[in-house]
Amino acid sequence: APNAEAEVLVDTTNLALTRFANSMIHQNVADETTTVRLVAHVDGRTVTATTTVTGDDALHGFVDRTLDSARLAPLDPGWPGLAPAAKLATEGTVDDAIANASPADRADRIRAFVDAAGGLTTAGYCRTRHSRAAFSNSAGQAVCGATAEIAMDGIARTASSDGSARHASAYLSELDGAKLGARAAAKARAGDGASELPPGRYEVVLEPTAVADVLQALAMFGFDGKAVNERRSFLAAGEQQMDAAITFVDDAVSPGMIGLPFDDEGTPRRVTPIIENGRTVGPVQNRRTAREAGTESTGNSGGGVFGAFALNLMLRPSGRDGAPAGASDVSEVDGPAADSTIAALVAHVSRGILVTDHWYTRVLDPRTLVMTGLTRNGVWLIENGEITQPLRNFRFTQSYPQALGPGAVLGVGTHARAVPNNYSVASFRCPALHLASWNFTGGASG
């Protein structure tokens, strides 16, 4: 097809996962998957096809079928063209210790988690993931890069309560199973004897694991250039839509970040501000959404019909440049606050609620980003700067942008923790948040 515009992305991912339940390993799996993605634009028509069969004959047939499909596709007047040749900011952060990790490396961290839980029943997983990708198109762009991640997510349980801890890192040495196990166990023990508090609006301290849910919703429904173009997003460039303490950036390229250095259209990724000190800069873009908006791609193509996606969204912590938190940045403290950065926010709450995690959240209104969901894995009452009693879980119904609005943010944690992203080799980086109001609409009794 000499008149075709074409691009090819090849991704090989090694994923290894070790699961544990009832405080013992019960599953260890690993696979290597190579995926080839081809986009062809022929005579004004565009088609995208993907295969995992990579033999020479299979690839020839794959190309032929893709071109046949292109001839039958509808016209594509919004075709944005191919990414031009451009250099990458980095080839990605790859720790060889992760790339070469063994089942024993994961088992050691699980053993440390179980031992640190002090006899409580535990469950969870430890995984390592290493991705290498290469991209080429007929416009002359040709790049390659790689990324690697280790992640752990675990839970410890008493007879009546549970506590969880999770962490992701680009470096094998930074994932401390003992620290995570101790954190989960402290939360579980502190959750015994929970009582019910009436629904209503309360001050909250959201731990990074709960803040990660806020970031995921913002990335999916608010910060997507397609949603903005279609007026399904709350974003309005140039307006002060959030508190001055809030800065969101998408960053896959700084040292220690988890993520490939280019998107699936071959556009180099970069540090992309979305909200700066509460003022909206703009959404992330792929080539198609950028063309519609009269701007340029930010390297955030999410593939398919989903528009642009901030896979590496970070809420910048207070008083720092946003560098990822390392093992030395978090000093453990006793009790449900889990670490000193969260305890510092709790100390400023006169009466409010500490929330460990969100669960089963769903969007009710994409335009205002009203979400509903449940608390999980530990909730406590805060009185006069101290955690006084465990609480039963709540249902909440809350607009996330409203909760982060001007004057609504009372404190931002000093360290951003990387929280595992189960949808891609990426992570959200989140500090804890102290917010003036969160709308709890139901309790355990209804």
Side-chain angles (χ1 to χ4, degrees):
N3 62 332
E5 296 179 77
E7 63 184 35
V8 181
L9 174 69
V10 181
D11 177 278
T12 295
T13 296
N14 294 83
L15 173 63
L17 179 72
T18 303
R19 293 181 183 272
F20 61 106
N22 295 318
S23 300
M24 66 179 187
I25 291 171
H26 67 95
Q27 184 183 44
N28 188 69
V29 294
D31 65 64
E32 179 180 280
T33 303
T34 296
T35 303
V36 181
R37 178 178 179 269
L38 170 62
V39 177
H41 183 74
V42 186
D43 298 328
R45 305 169 191 274
T46 307
V47 67
T48 301
T50 303
T51 186
T52 56
V53 182
T54 57
D56 287 351
D57 291 342
L59 287 177
H60 280 294
F62 170 64
V63 171
D64 290 341
R65 290 192 302 274
T66 303
L67 294 175
D68 288 342
S69 298
R71 296 182 185 99
L72 300 174
L75 290 173
D76 180 13
W79 170 245
L82 300 175
K87 293 183 179 179
L88 301 177
T90 174
E91 291 186 354
T93 297
V94 177
D95 179 12
D96 289 340
I98 293 179
N100 299 314
S102 67
D105 290 320
R106 296 185 297 277
D108 287 346
R109 284 155 180 79
I110 291 173
R111 167 55 65 193
F113 186 102
V114 171
D115 288 348
L120 296 186
T121 301
T122 62
Y125 72 79
C126 181
R127 74 164 181 244
T128 51
R129 188 154 50 179
H130 178 213
S131 288
R132 296 93 69 203
F135 176 94
S136 182
N137 69 21
S138 55
Q141 174 67 330
V143 289
C144 59
T147 188
E149 170 218 45
I150 182 168
M152 191 172 198
D153 189 344
I155 191 169
R157 286 179 170 169
T158 70
S160 62
S161 61
D162 57 61
S164 67
R166 64 182 71 99
H167 183 58
S169 179
Y171 304 103
L172 189 76
S173 61
E174 284 191 355
L175 195 133
D176 189 330
K179 183 176 288 186
L180 295 176
R183 179 182 296 157
K187 284 180 165 294
R189 293 190 176 97
D192 275 335
S195 58
E196 189 167 0
L197 199 66
R201 287 194 170 273
Y202 294 90
E203 276 187 52
V204 291
V205 173
L206 302 182
E207 296 202 12
T209 41
V211 176
D213 168 71
V214 176
L215 266 64
Q216 179 169 302
L218 290 169
M220 290 183 66
F221 302 107
F223 294 166
D224 169 15
K226 182 178 181 180
V228 172
N229 290 347
E230 296 175 351
R231 301 188 179 184
R232 294 183 286 108
S233 168
F234 68 91
L235 276 193
E239 294 188 12
Q240 190 78 19
Q241 293 188 280
M242 294 189 181
D243 192 272
I246 297 296
T247 292
F248 283 110
V249 298
D250 186 71
D251 182 5
V253 298
S254 295
M257 296 301 181
I258 302 165
L260 290 170
F262 56 91
D263 69 4
D264 58 13
E265 295 177 325
T267 303
R269 289 193 166 115
R270 59 181 189 254
V271 180
T272 303
I274 302 169
I275 305 281
E276 282 188 329
N277 300 321
R279 185 183 67 85
T280 298
V281 178
V284 296
Q285 306 280 6
N286 62 22
R287 292 189 59 76
R288 192 175 291 268
T289 63
R291 179 181 183 272
E292 293 172 357
T295 184
E296 62 180 15
S297 173
T298 58
N300 289 91
S301 175
V305 299
F306 297 105
F309 195 78
L311 282 172
N312 296 87
L313 190 60
M314 173 196 284
L315 171 59
R316 284 205 187 278
S318 63
R320 284 170 56 92
D321 60 4
S328 62
D329 289 330
V330 179
S331 58
E332 295 300 318
V333 295
D334 293 332
D339 66 53
S340 59
T341 64
I342 297 167
L345 295 180
V346 167
H348 294 283
V349 179
S350 56
R351 189 171 190 271
I353 296 172
L354 173 65
V355 178
T356 301
D357 213 348
H358 289 167
W359 171 246
Y360 212 72
T361 52
R362 295 293 184 267
V363 62
L364 296 179
D365 182 355
R367 184 69 174 78
T368 57
L369 206 49
V370 174
M371 305 288 294
T372 188
L374 305 171
T375 62
R376 198 184 192 199
N377 299 323
V379 189
W380 291 269
L381 179 64
I382 307 169
E383 296 176 295
N384 300 318
E386 295 185 357
I387 296 169
T388 56
Q389 62 176 303
L391 300 174
R392 300 181 73 179
N393 282 316
F394 291 93
R395 172 166 289 282
F396 62 85
T397 304
Q398 175 66 54
S399 163
Y400 286 179
Q402 182 187 64
L404 302 176
V409 179
L410 305 180
V412 179
T414 56
H415 298 90
R417 185 186 306 167
V419 179
N421 183 335
N422 292 326
Y423 300 101
S424 179
V425 190
S427 68
F428 296 130
R429 292 183 180 269
C430 321
L433 280 174
H434 176 195
L435 303 178
S437 178
W438 196 265
N439 187 29
F440 294 101
T441 50
S445 60

